[in-house]
C-alpha cells in the first residue's frame, strides 16, 4: 500500500478514475466538516446535549423514555444545519454522477447536504434529519412542515406520534438501504471512502465488501483510520480540497501541475 503525500494523486488512481464505469462513494461526517457540521469523533460542541452524551440522547432507549427531548435535540441540530451549505466535496461528487456510467453514493450523514449539492438517489444509511416518520403508520413527512406546539408533532395521515427519521443508536438501518449499498459495493470498480472514521458498522463494512470483490479502494481523510491499511491508496487531506482535483482537466503543457495530477477526459466534468 502506498501513502500519497498531500497533494499528489498517483498515475494509477488517475487511470482508474479515467477508466472506471461503476464507482461507489461512501461518505461520513468529514465530508460535511468544511460546511461547518461538527464531526462525531472529532470533538466539537454537538457531542453533549443537556449533559447527555450524544450516544444517549440519540438512542432508541431515549425515544422510548422521552420523545420530546429527542425532538428538542434534533430540532437543535436542524437549527444548526439550516444556514449551512454544501462544500466543494459535495459539489464534486454531485458532478460525478453525470460523468461515470454508474455512480452509487452511500452516506452515513443525515444532514442532506449531498442532495442540496444536486446528488440524486443518495443511499442514506442513517436516515435524514429533514424527515420525520410516524410511529404508527410509518408515513414520512417533511420536518420543515411539522408543528411542535404540543411537544411531539403528529402524523398528517393518521394522527400518530412522529419521530425523527434517523437511525438512532441501538436501531436497525432502514430496510434495504444497507443491502442495496452492499450489492453496489460488490460490483464497483473504484470505491472512494471520504470523511469517515470507519468505526461504525455495518456502514464500515461497505468498503471491505468492495475491496474483497476486487475494487480499487481509496480513502480521503486528514487522519488515518482502521480502514487505511486495507486501501490501495490513501489521500491524506481535506475532502473539499482533494475531491475537486480528482476531476481537473490536464494543464496546457500536457504534463501534470506540480501539486496535483490531473485526469484527461473526453468530456468535461
Ligand atoms: N475531509 C475529510 N475527512 C475529514 C475532514 C475533512 N475536511 N474533517 C474530518 N475528517 C475525518 C476525520 O478525520 C474522521 O476520520 O472525518 C472522520 C469523521 O469521523 P466521525 O466523526 O466518526 O464520523 P462518521 O465516520 O461519519 O461516524 C459514523 O457514527 O455517530 C455515528 O451515526 C453517526 O453517521 C455517524 C456514524
Amino acid at each position: 500500500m502506498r501513502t500519497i503525500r498531500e497533494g499528489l494523486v498517483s498515475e494509477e488512481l488517475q487511470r482508474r478514475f479515467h477508466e472506471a464505469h461503476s464507482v461507489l462513494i461512501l461518505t461520513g461526517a468529514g465530508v460535511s466538516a468544511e460546511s461547518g457540521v461538527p464531526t462525531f469523533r472529532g470533538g466539537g460542541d454537538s457531542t453533549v446535549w443537556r449533559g447527555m452524551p450524544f450516544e444517549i440522547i440519540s438512542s432508541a432507549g431515549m425515544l422510548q423514555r422521552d420523545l420530546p427531548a429527542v425532538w428538542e435535540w434534533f430540532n437543535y441540530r436542524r437549527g444548526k444545519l439550516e444556514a449551512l451549505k454544501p462544500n466543494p466535496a459535495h459539489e464534486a461528487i454531485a458532478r460525478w454522477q453525470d460523468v461515470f456510467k454508474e455512480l452509487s453514493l452511500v452516506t452515513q450523514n443525515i444532514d442532506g447536504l449531498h442532495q442540496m449539492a444536486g446528488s440524486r438517489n443518495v443511499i442514506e444509511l442513517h436516515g435524514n434529519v429533514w424527515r420525520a416518520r410516524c410511529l404508527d403508520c410509518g408515513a414520512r413527512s417533511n420536518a420543515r412542515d411539522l408543528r411542535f406546539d404540543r411537544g411531539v408533532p403528529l402524523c398528517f395521515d393518521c394522527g400518530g406520534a412522529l419521530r425523527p427519521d434517523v437511525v438512532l443508536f441501538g436501531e436497525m438501518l432502514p430496510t434495504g438501504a444497507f443491502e442495496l449499498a452492499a450489492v453496489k459495493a460488490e460490483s464497483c470498480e473504484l470505491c472512494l471512502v471520504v470523511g469517515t472514521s470507519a468505526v461504525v458498522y455495518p456502514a464500515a463494512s461497505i468498503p471491505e465488501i468492495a475491496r474483497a470483490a476486487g475494487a480499487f479502494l481509496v480513502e480521503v481523510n486528514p487522519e488515518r483510520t482502521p480502514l487505511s491499511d486495507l486501501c490501495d491508496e490513501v489521500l491524506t487531506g481535506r475532502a473539499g480540497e482533494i475531491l475537486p482535483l480528482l476531476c481537473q482537466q490536464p494543464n496546457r503543457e500536457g504534463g501534470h501541475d506540480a501539486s496535483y495530477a490531473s485526469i484527461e477526459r473526453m468530456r468535461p466534468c
Side-chain angles (χ1 to χ4, degrees), residues 28-31 33-34 39-42 54 108-109 126 169 194-200 220-223 225 237-240:
V31 82
E34 291 153 82
T39 57
F40 295 92
R41 291 167 192 83
F54 87 94
Q108 298 168 83
N109 300 346
H126 297 157
F169 282 94
V194 184
T196 180
S197 56
V199 295
V200 174
V220 179
N221 196 314
E223 292 169 13
T225 73
R238 298 168 8 129

Side-chain angles (χ1 to χ4, degrees), residues 111-131:
D111 56 31
L113 289 174
H114 281 302
Q115 291 89 336
M116 204 189 279
S119 283
R120 303 181 296 268
N121 311 320
V122 181
I123 301 173
E124 297 175 314
L125 294 180
H126 297 157
N128 189 309
V129 77
W130 298 104
R131 280 195 314 265

Side-chain angles (χ1 to χ4, degrees), residues 19-250:
E19 292 166 1
H21 296 288
S22 71
V23 175
L24 182 139
I25 303 177
L26 173 70
T27 64
V31 82
S32 295
E34 291 153 82
S35 296
V37 183
T39 57
F40 295 92
R41 291 167 192 83
D45 65 352
S46 70
T47 52
V48 178
W49 171 255
R50 307 249 156 106
M52 282 181 281
F54 87 94
E55 288 93 352
I56 301 297
I57 185 68
S58 284
S59 68
M62 198 68 191
L63 200 75
Q64 311 280 328
R65 283 196 303 279
D66 192 347
L67 181 53
V70 173
W71 269 117
E72 272 181 53
W73 160 238
F74 281 98
N75 291 350
Y76 161 78
R77 293 182 68 184
R78 269 207 320 279
K80 285 261 185 183
L81 284 172
E82 194 71 57
L84 303 184
K85 297 275 177 284
N87 66 60
H90 298 108
E91 289 154 4
I93 293 171
R95 281 197 302 273
W96 294 345
Q97 64 192 339
D98 300 319
V99 166
F100 295 105
K101 194 152 166 285
E102 188 183 354
L103 179 83
S104 307
L105 173 56
V106 182
T107 191
Q108 298 168 83
N109 300 346
I110 63 173
D111 56 31
L113 289 174
H114 281 302
Q115 291 89 336
M116 204 189 279
S119 283
R120 303 181 296 268
N121 311 320
V122 181
I123 301 173
E124 297 175 314
L125 294 180
H126 297 157
N128 189 309
V129 77
W130 298 104
R131 280 195 314 265
R133 189 168 85 242
C134 178
L135 286 165
D136 295 348
C137 72
R140 287 185 163 81
S141 335
N142 182 333
R144 288 187 176 88
D145 306 337
L146 304 181
R147 293 185 41 186
F148 289 86
D149 37 17
R150 275 187 252 120
V152 171
L154 302 179
C155 175
F156 300 109
D157 294 6
C158 76
L162 292 172
R163 55 156 291 163
D165 190 23
V166 298
V167 176
L168 302 173
F169 282 94
E171 291 189 323
M172 302 293 286
L173 270 54
T175 317
F178 177 79
E179 293 73 11
L180 177 59
V183 166
K184 298 290 185 188
E186 272 159 6
S187 61
C188 71
E189 298 152 84
L190 180 60
C191 176
L192 287 169
V193 183
V194 184
T196 180
S197 56
V199 295
V200 174
Y201 283 76
S205 69
I206 296 292
E208 295 168 354
I209 294 168
R211 187 69 173 67
F216 192 81
L217 186 58
V218 180
E219 182 176 58
V220 179
N221 196 314
E223 292 169 13
R224 289 186 64 72
T225 73
L227 187 73
S228 305
D229 285 343
L230 187 65
C231 291
D232 298 288
E233 203 139 327
V234 174
L235 303 180
T236 307
R238 298 168 8 129
E241 292 164 7
I242 290 181
L243 294 196
L245 294 158
L246 278 177
C247 213
Q248 282 221 5
Q249 297 307 313

